[in-house]
Amino acid sequence: MTRFLITIILIFTIAIFWFVNSSKYVGYIYNPRTASRDFLASGYSNLNLLAFDSESNLEKTFRMLEEKGIKIIIGPPTSAEGEMILPYLKKYNSVALSATISSTKLLNSGYIYSFTVSNKFMLEKLRQLLDFLDSKKVLLVSDPSNRQYSDEFKGIFSTFEGMDLYYYNINSLKSINATDFDTVVMTIFPKDAAEVVKEMKKENPSLKFVGMDSVMAEEFVNFGGQAVEGVYIIYSMGDFENPEYELIREIADFLSNHKFLSVDQFKRFLKTNIIETSKGRYHYKNESIDREVKIFMVKNGKFVPVQVF
């Protein structure tokens, strides 16, 4: 009897040790050009991050994660990278929890989740803002390196007249006439967006500009200066100084607190529980997290919340 009890206690102790340690291991996919790399270098210790570059050999990486029993991955940052890893998530029955992916298609896949809202909801906010601005002819300036994100905003052309343009550099604007439009919508990086505003305002000072989440960074106002005053930003990532970095921190804390041991457990929790984070309480609705979407305007070099509708 004593030997039996010792055996049970030993098994129980091993199980607890396995749970505490194995549940701390998650994959971490980063882009060396974004804040996802900065987070990796921060020394976050509540989880054991098995990190890999989004440009690495994905088949080899996912095989390694499978061998280690890792089914939950933090990242990647962009929708283009989400499209790249989706086949491997399906093949190895894994899930990714990204800070910033907003592609409605990817978030509806059942394999990629995000801590920001989907483009479907952002697109509706954009339509409302364009109505408020009385926009008639819209130019959509898109990011060609992240078309999975940018292309979904072409949905505005079911309501508004206009055209889209992929922005590679300042020479991309030579093909259009700024006086043909009254509003410009931008889904590009902050510095590029500042260049677009400065260049197009030279030709058409009355143009109205709207930036999506991708534009919201200090680099936009620092580089744009006086030219970007009055630009609207539609933003869904909370009150963060460094959105991607802080959202990744929220995800890491969330996974550390709950220690999911299976993909099914992870999915059930998201569908049936409130997610508690340092910035608030959220739940998943139609595969997208329910966060407030705000409208900002650049005023005196600052992003200021505005109530427009």
Side-chain angles (χ1 to χ4, degrees):
M1 183 65 177
T2 302
R3 184 178 297 174
F4 175 75
L5 287 174
I6 292 174
T7 302
I8 294 297
I9 292 172
L10 182 61
I11 292 173
F12 186 68
T13 302
I14 293 172
I16 291 176
F17 179 82
W18 176 84
F19 172 79
V20 170
N21 286 276
S22 66
S23 60
K24 289 182 66 175
Y25 281 88
V26 298
Y28 184 87
I29 180 169
Y30 67 94
N31 182 319
R33 293 178 293 276
T34 78
S36 58
R37 184 172 187 173
D38 298 334
F39 183 82
L40 182 62
S42 69
Y44 184 85
S45 59
N46 292 345
L47 292 172
N48 294 320
L49 303 176
L50 274 73
F52 58 100
D53 189 326
S54 59
E55 297 177 358
S56 65
N57 184 319
L58 294 178
E59 177 63 48
K60 182 178 178 180
T61 297
F62 274 86
R63 194 183 312 122
M64 179 269 291
L65 294 174
E66 172 76 8
E67 290 170 355
K68 293 182 178 295
I70 295 173
K71 295 291 188 179
I72 298 175
I73 297 165
I74 296 176
T78 71
S79 296
E81 293 162 324
E83 186 81 28
M84 287 168 50
I85 72 165
L86 183 58
Y88 299 98
L89 294 173
K90 292 178 178 179
K91 179 177 179 178
Y92 291 100
N93 189 31
S94 302
V95 290
L97 181 55
S98 169
T100 48
I101 284 179
S102 59
S103 163
T104 302
K105 174 187 172 184
L106 293 178
L107 298 182
N108 285 339
S109 70
Y111 292 89
I112 295 178
Y113 297 81
S114 179
F115 262 29
T116 190
V117 302
S118 77
N119 286 344
K120 175 182 177 181
F121 298 103
M122 296 295 283
L123 187 58
E124 183 55 35
K125 283 289 184 180
L126 176 57
R127 287 194 180 102
Q128 292 174 12
L129 180 57
L130 294 178
D131 277 335
F132 170 80
L133 296 175
D134 196 29
S135 300
K136 304 298 183 186
K137 192 76 176 288
V138 179
L139 175 67
L140 175 63
V141 182
S142 300
D143 178 8
S145 68
N146 194 14
R147 298 189 184 197
Q148 291 80 358
Y149 162 76
S150 292
D151 283 0
E152 290 187 355
F153 289 98
K154 293 179 182 179
I156 60 173
F157 297 124
S158 65
T159 309
F160 298 91
E161 185 181 353
M163 63 170 284
D164 65 278
L165 172 78
Y166 287 123
Y167 186 82
Y168 296 92
N169 53 52
I170 201 69
N171 292 324
S172 302
L173 298 178
K174 291 182 177 179
S175 64
I176 59 102
N177 186 341
T179 59
D180 290 341
F181 306 93
D182 56 58
T183 309
V184 179
V185 176
M186 302 175 291
T187 66
I188 51 182
F189 288 117
K191 185 177 179 180
D192 291 337
E195 288 179 341
V196 167
V197 175
K198 289 196 291 186
E199 191 67 20
M200 296 193 71
K201 272 192 172 181
K202 292 177 185 177
E203 188 176 348
N204 184 358
S206 65
L207 271 174
K208 294 165 281 191
F209 291 87
V210 178
M212 304 308 295
D213 271 341
S214 60
V215 175
M216 183 81 153
E218 289 300 319
E219 188 179 21
F220 178 66
V221 293
N222 292 341
F223 188 80
Q226 185 63 32
V228 301
E229 289 287 310
V231 172
Y232 289 92
I233 308 286
I234 302 178
Y235 191 66
S236 67
M237 298 184 187
D239 299 321
F240 297 118
E241 292 183 11
N242 188 338
E244 184 185 359
Y245 186 99
E246 295 181 57
L247 282 169
I248 293 172
R249 177 75 189 224
E250 278 199 337
I251 286 174
D253 288 343
F254 167 66
L255 294 176
S256 174
N257 290 336
H258 294 285
K259 294 182 172 62
F260 300 106
L261 291 177
S262 73
V263 168
D264 289 340
Q265 181 192 9
F266 170 85
K267 290 182 177 182
R268 283 197 304 271
F269 185 94
L270 291 187
K271 290 181 179 180
T272 59
N273 291 272
I274 296 294
I275 298 172
E276 299 274 2
T277 77
S278 60
K279 292 293 183 178
R281 294 162 56 89
Y282 308 105
H283 68 272
Y284 267 79
K285 181 180 180 181
N286 299 326
E287 304 303 328
S288 177
I289 199 167
D290 184 13
R291 278 187 184 269
E292 183 180 8
V293 177
K294 294 182 179 179
I295 310 294
F296 289 79
M297 178 186 283
V298 179
K299 294 183 179 180
N300 300 316
K302 303 290 183 182
F303 295 107
V304 180
V306 291
Q307 190 69 41
V308 295
F309 45 75

